[in-house]
Amino acid sequence: MFLAIAQYTIAEGNETAVLVHVAELESASRTEPGCLAFDAYVKVGSDRRLVLIERYRSEADFGLHRETEHFARLVLGQIVPLLEQRSVESWVLPD
């Protein structure tokens, strides 16, 4: 199993827009064949901090996710321009 953890700091004033786009991203990503789970969480006490927990069957499936139309349109086109900071970490289940 492959896990991606994306952490976002939303630029002030863009909170609502980012959450709308992330909700659409969650919905679209969950339909991908290799996606096991895709959930977004807002940090308690800070509506500008967001974490996406994404589970895929494999790293290759995650790679396919990053090639989808919805990833390009929503993440790269809509969400990233509204962020102050973004980081993505990758994890795998040990053998």
Side-chain angles (χ1 to χ4, degrees):
M1 182 184 317
F2 183 85
L3 178 71
I5 301 173
Q7 296 186 56
Y8 296 168
T9 301
I10 303 167
E12 193 169 341
N14 294 321
E15 298 88 350
T16 300
V18 169
L19 292 177
V20 167
H21 296 311
V22 166
E24 186 179 348
L25 177 65
E26 279 181 297
S27 180
S29 297
R30 288 176 180 160
T31 68
E32 296 170 29
C35 182
L36 301 174
F38 195 111
D39 299 293
Y41 299 88
V42 176
K43 182 174 173 80
V44 174
S46 176
D47 60 352
R48 292 181 52 222
R49 297 284 312 277
L50 188 66
V51 65
L52 306 179
I53 309 293
E54 308 171 40
R55 289 188 317 153
Y56 286 86
R57 284 184 314 207
S58 67
E59 186 172 0
D61 287 317
F62 179 70
L64 292 173
H65 161 70
R66 295 176 65 99
E67 295 176 8
T68 62
E69 177 276 333
H70 55 265
F71 183 88
R73 179 174 48 84
L74 294 167
V75 176
L76 302 178
Q78 300 293 326
I79 297 169
V80 170
L82 302 177
L83 302 178
E84 274 183 17
Q85 186 175 14
R86 174 180 177 238
S87 68
V88 180
E89 293 184 344
S90 301
W91 302 75
V92 293
L93 199 61
D95 294 335

